[in-house]
Amino acid sequence: MKRINSTRRVATAAALLAFAGWSTMVAANDAVTKGSGIAPAVPSNTRLVHLALGEITAIAAQKGWLQEEFAKYNAKADLVNTSSYTGTATAVLLDRGDLHIIRAMVNFALQYPASGMDTRVIWGSGVVNEHRAQTIVLKDSAIKTVPELKGHKLATSILSCPYYASAEALRSQGVSVDSADQKGDVQYINITGIAATSAFLSGRFEGFALHPTTSTTASLFIQDQVRSLATAVPNGMYVNSGGRSMEFAIRTWVDENPDLVRAFLTAQDRVVRWLAADHGAHLDDAATITSRALRIPKSVALFGLKDLAQTAWEFGETDANDLTKALKKYQEYQLAVKDPLFTKAHLTEKQIEVLVDRRFFTGGEYFVDAGEKKKGGGGARGATLEGGADSAGTKLALTKAGR
């Protein structure tokens, strides 16, 4: 009966994601290693943790930090290449135990449990840089401002962060986007990945909402082919709430393996502090590691680590109450603007309150202090070094390229 319920849960998530027409189309190179939620009979009773291959995990593995931290708990990490998997498939991997921890932004942290998956947030970032999500046009486009998009087409995945950031940015300038209920000033096209980039370059639509630093879009900026019409609204709902990165896992796995969650968070924190140290001197080395692990050009890897828009690494928010408020505010906002996905499935306030697992935040038994150490206080945006804004020469020189 437990497996039947589990299957129904994922089927519900799959139906919701299918409703949004979401897919991630990124080139893949490796097959997923089959596993189970908790490794039963492996040599020496070593526990196995399935983690998605990404910048943080690739660097942690190459430096030996991942192995070192998990070895303390008689465990080791298996890096799973999920780059060719859709959101529905990734949800299935998470539910059946072939992937234990997922990193995504607030919309997924809310929508997975709203679809019936019993997850818990184990880490979350603070407010984000407004460049993280942008609305762009081709460099030679006649469209120069957001209002000039009226009557034209805007494309992105309806379930993606760029969709929510762009919709808020356009709305702030009096421009509406098509919804399920009514026609807007801008015609919306639901497309993503390589297909979206190719269609954009061929002129199939004028506006493109995206994360600049993904492997399928970075070249547009590196080669100076585009112009940014709008970033996310500064100090807006996306910057303060919706654009935050979250890491979450199935609740039963977290309950059974809180020590392994702590090991993962410790290794991740070591990577973030290494990337931020010495005025960013390690970013080139990090790009070499990630380009090989993810099989992307080094220029793309470096852009994805160093640009203001980067989503690869950032310090964590240590206050569980802050993350809980951010989740609540973001859902309230989407319900107020009648977003079709959140209107279809959303959490109650009580469900959101238990979503953030307080064991891994300030005061919790398995707390890892992943916050930025600053003398001057204020929110971290992943752009200052340990030592703080008040220390001479501590600013990390992240770039704003091709805008």
Side-chain angles (χ1 to χ4, degrees):
M1 181 61 71
K2 181 178 179 181
R3 174 50 53 191
I4 292 175
N5 290 337
S6 175
T7 302
R8 287 176 179 169
R9 218 170 36 237
V10 178
T12 303
L16 183 65
L17 294 172
F19 163 79
W22 182 56
S23 65
T24 54
M25 301 180 65
V26 183
N29 301 288
D30 302 316
V32 172
T33 302
K34 184 171 175 57
S36 59
I38 302 175
V42 295
S44 304
N45 295 316
T46 302
R47 292 186 286 173
L48 192 62
V49 185
H50 302 298
L51 302 172
L53 174 65
E55 291 91 346
I56 291 288
T57 53
I59 294 168
Q62 177 65 29
K63 293 293 184 182
W65 299 330
L66 206 56
Q67 297 89 324
E68 182 181 327
E69 295 301 333
F70 279 121
K72 295 175 182 177
Y73 305 98
N74 193 31
K76 63 180 181 179
D78 165 42
L79 298 188
V80 180
N81 189 335
T82 61
S83 59
S84 66
Y85 284 74
T86 65
T88 303
T90 304
V92 172
L93 291 178
L94 182 68
D95 186 73
R96 76 185 188 189
D98 286 339
L99 193 61
H100 289 135
I101 297 171
I102 283 182
R103 183 184 181 99
M105 292 175 195
V106 166
N107 52 316
F108 288 114
L110 288 168
Q111 285 300 321
Y112 275 3
S115 303
M117 296 184 70
D118 190 7
T119 57
R120 290 294 182 269
V121 172
I122 59 171
W123 178 92
S125 74
V127 298
V128 302
N129 192 292
E130 57 266 23
H131 289 88
R132 169 168 289 198
Q134 298 184 33
T135 306
I136 66 169
V137 293
L138 291 172
K139 192 169 185 179
D140 59 0
S141 172
I143 298 173
K144 306 296 182 184
T145 65
V146 166
E148 291 176 36
L149 270 179
K150 289 183 178 180
H152 294 285
K153 299 174 183 177
L154 174 71
T156 192
S157 165
I158 197 171
L159 196 61
S160 69
C161 266
Y163 169 79
Y164 292 108
S166 183
E168 182 187 11
L170 268 62
R171 197 178 290 123
S172 72
Q173 297 193 46
V175 179
S176 61
V177 180
D178 281 349
S179 70
D181 300 323
Q182 60 184 11
K183 182 175 176 58
D185 298 319
V186 174
Q187 180 184 350
Y188 174 72
I189 298 175
N190 188 24
I191 188 173
T192 190
I194 295 172
T197 301
S198 298
F200 175 61
L201 290 172
S202 66
R204 297 292 296 276
F205 45 83
E206 293 77 17
F208 193 6
L210 45 59
H211 286 308
T213 57
T214 68
S215 60
T216 57
T217 58
S219 61
L220 296 174
F221 294 85
I222 294 171
Q223 297 172 15
D224 198 24
Q225 295 175 289
V226 299
R227 283 187 292 105
S228 178
L229 286 184
T231 65
V233 177
N235 202 33
M237 189 57 64
Y238 179 86
V239 164
N240 287 316
S241 299
R244 295 183 187 226
S245 296
M246 298 272 167
E247 282 168 352
F248 47 97
I250 296 294
R251 178 186 58 80
T252 53
W253 184 83
V254 174
D255 288 346
E256 293 166 355
N257 301 281
D259 53 345
L260 299 187
V261 174
R262 177 165 58 186
F264 167 74
L265 295 177
T266 302
Q268 175 174 265
D269 185 57
R270 291 177 69 174
V271 174
V272 170
R273 297 193 187 283
W274 177 71
L275 290 169
D278 302 323
H279 317 299
H282 305 299
L283 293 177
D284 189 79
D285 184 14
T288 299
I289 294 170
T290 58
S291 66
R292 291 172 179 170
L294 304 180
R295 302 186 187 183
I296 57 177
K298 184 176 177 179
S299 60
V300 172
L302 187 59
F303 182 76
L305 291 167
K306 195 172 182 181
D307 191 77
L308 285 173
Q310 66 90 11
T311 61
W313 61 279
E314 54 202 316
F315 292 102
E317 171 55 61
T318 60
D319 186 349
N321 291 328
D322 181 88
L323 290 182
T324 302
K325 289 177 183 177
L327 289 164
K328 285 183 178 180
K329 287 181 179 178
Y330 192 66
Q331 180 174 273
E332 288 170 3
Y333 173 82
Q334 296 304 343
L335 290 173
V337 298
K338 299 181 179 179
D339 174 79
L341 194 63
F342 280 87
T343 300
K344 186 178 180 68
H346 57 270
L347 301 174
T348 65
E349 282 204 10
K350 288 186 178 180
Q351 287 174 320
I352 294 177
E353 286 168 4
V354 300
L355 187 60
V356 179
D357 195 323
R358 295 174 180 271
R359 288 175 292 180
F360 305 104
F361 297 89
T362 299
E365 182 182 358
Y366 297 94
F367 172 59
V368 174
D369 188 356
E372 184 180 13
K373 309 301 188 298
K374 297 183 67 176
K375 290 182 179 179
R381 294 199 180 193
T384 54
L385 295 177
E386 194 167 352
D390 293 344
S391 300
T394 58
K395 285 273 186 175
L396 176 59
L398 297 182
T399 61
K400 188 174 78 171
R403 300 203 231 302

